[in-house]
């Protein structure tokens, strides 16, 4: 199922979009540091905090929109020409289709994250020096930024499976981003129920240290949206 879905998603451009996001993010890191390098290094913060939090903000926005687009087009081919209705009569478990799409998106997105952070690592090692560059903190931040992105992926893929109109799904994603921008400064615990705000957390923090509570909430939300998506996918076939 995963191999079949991968062939389909390559045709939609989903894989290319996520790979391109990784490359553009890495280029942004290099360009931003070239322009603002001296300013960043002179900030009254720990060098690792400056390297990771100050450069990750725009990368996070880029990643968020890439996720919205990738998840939106993941089901677009299925709805085109009523293909998904034809699949309903085949001996195919639709929940497995949803799972395959999720695994493909999360896997390719992880590669994009690695590409982007390889640029950060190069800058950290070459500019900060081995005495100031903390590999442990860096690797934990990479994992943290990836985990906090997963709720948006599972939520948007769930939404994509619900609406046949591509622009409705993208519109919900854009609204999610805008509402997260408006609420990101709110420290109330309930705002973390918003998956887009969870993804914002590494970018708006003043420290590169991971927040275990946020990471656990991200994992919980990912599982919840993932399970809901599976139930929706299977129930739509039985309608």
């Amino acid at each position: 199922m995963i191999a079949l879905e991968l062939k389909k998603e390559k045709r939609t451009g989903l894989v290319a979009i996520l790979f391109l996001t990784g490359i553009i993010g890495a280029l942004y890191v290099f360009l931003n540091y070239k322009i603002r390098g001296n300013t960043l290094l002179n900030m009254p913060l720990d060098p690792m905090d400056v390297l990771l939090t100050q450069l990750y903000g725009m990368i996070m926005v880029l990643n968020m929109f890439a996720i919205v687009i990738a998840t939106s087009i993941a089901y677009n081919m299925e709805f085109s020409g009523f293909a998904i209705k034809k699949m309903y009569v085949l001996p195919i478990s639709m929940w497995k289709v949803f799972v395959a799409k999720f695994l493909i998106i999360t896997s390719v997105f992880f590669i994009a994250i690695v590409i982007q952070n390889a640029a950060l690592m190069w800058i950290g090692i070459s500019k900060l020096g081995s005495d100031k560059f903390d590999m442990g903190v860096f690797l934990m931040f990479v994992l943290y930024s990836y985990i906090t992105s997963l709720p948006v992926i599972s939520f948007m893929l769930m939404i994509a499976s619900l609406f046949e109109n591509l622009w409705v799904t993208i519109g919900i994603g854009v609204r999610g981003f805008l509402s997260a921008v408006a609420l990101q400064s709110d420290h109330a615990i309930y705002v973390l129920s918003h998956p887009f705000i969870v993804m914002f957390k590494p970018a708006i923090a003043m420290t590169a240290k991971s927040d275990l509570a946020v990471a656990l909430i991200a994992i919980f939300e990912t599982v919840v949206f993932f399970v809901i998506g599976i139930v929706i996918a299977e129930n739509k076939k039985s309608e």
Side-chain angles (χ1 to χ4, degrees):
M1 183 62 72
I2 293 179
L4 176 61
E5 282 298 318
L6 185 58
K7 290 181 180 179
K8 289 161 58 179
E9 301 309 338
K10 283 182 178 180
R11 293 177 59 187
T12 65
L14 182 155
V15 174
I17 287 172
L18 294 177
F19 268 119
L20 188 61
T21 299
I23 295 172
I24 293 175
L27 292 175
Y28 166 80
V29 168
F30 287 125
L31 180 61
N32 193 310
Y33 192 84
K34 183 176 180 61
I35 296 173
R36 302 174 56 215
N38 292 331
T39 302
L40 292 174
L41 290 178
N42 290 326
M43 293 181 68
L45 295 171
D46 183 273
M48 287 298 294
D49 293 338
V50 172
L51 175 68
L52 298 177
T53 62
Q54 298 301 310
L55 292 178
Y56 178 69
M58 185 55 67
I59 295 177
M60 183 277 302
V61 174
L62 176 67
N63 290 347
M64 186 174 287
F65 278 105
I67 289 173
V68 169
I69 295 173
T71 51
S72 296
I73 65 177
Y75 268 94
N76 187 243
M77 177 179 286
E78 315 294 357
F79 290 126
S80 179
F82 302 104
I84 197 167
K85 292 184 178 180
K86 297 175 183 177
M87 292 174 65
Y88 289 161
V89 300
L90 298 175
I92 298 176
S93 298
M94 296 308 298
W95 70 268
K96 291 183 179 180
V97 173
F98 182 89
V99 172
K101 291 180 185 295
F102 178 82
L103 292 177
I104 290 170
I105 294 173
T106 52
S107 299
V108 181
F109 180 70
F110 179 75
I111 295 174
I113 288 282
V114 170
I115 294 172
Q116 294 167 350
N117 283 281
L120 285 172
M121 183 174 70
W122 184 87
I123 291 175
I125 295 175
S126 62
K127 302 301 181 182
L128 299 182
S130 58
D131 57 326
K132 293 183 179 179
F133 183 78
D134 190 324
M135 182 61 76
V137 172
F138 171 75
L139 292 177
M140 285 302 297
F141 184 84
V142 174
L143 181 61
Y144 181 51
S145 61
Y146 176 69
I147 290 175
T148 52
S149 302
L150 295 179
V152 176
I153 294 178
S154 59
F155 171 76
M156 287 304 304
L157 191 62
M158 177 195 72
I159 295 298
S161 68
L162 277 173
F163 297 101
E164 297 185 15
N165 191 316
L166 173 70
W167 298 108
V168 172
T169 306
I170 292 178
I172 292 174
V174 172
R175 284 178 178 271
F177 167 75
L178 294 176
S179 59
V181 171
L183 295 171
Q184 63 175 311
S185 59
D186 192 331
H187 297 293
I189 190 67
Y190 67 85
V191 300
L192 290 177
S193 61
H194 192 316
F196 287 81
I197 290 180
V198 172
M199 187 170 177
F200 261 92
K201 282 300 179 180
I204 62 178
M206 295 305 292
T207 176
K209 293 182 179 179
S210 305
D211 189 323
L212 180 59
V214 173
L216 292 175
I217 289 173
I219 294 172
F220 174 74
E221 290 184 4
T222 301
V223 172
V224 169
F225 293 132
F226 179 75
V227 171
I228 293 174
I230 288 177
V231 172
I232 290 173
E234 197 60 26
N235 285 345
K236 288 188 72 173
K237 182 174 181 178
S238 61
E239 290 177 358

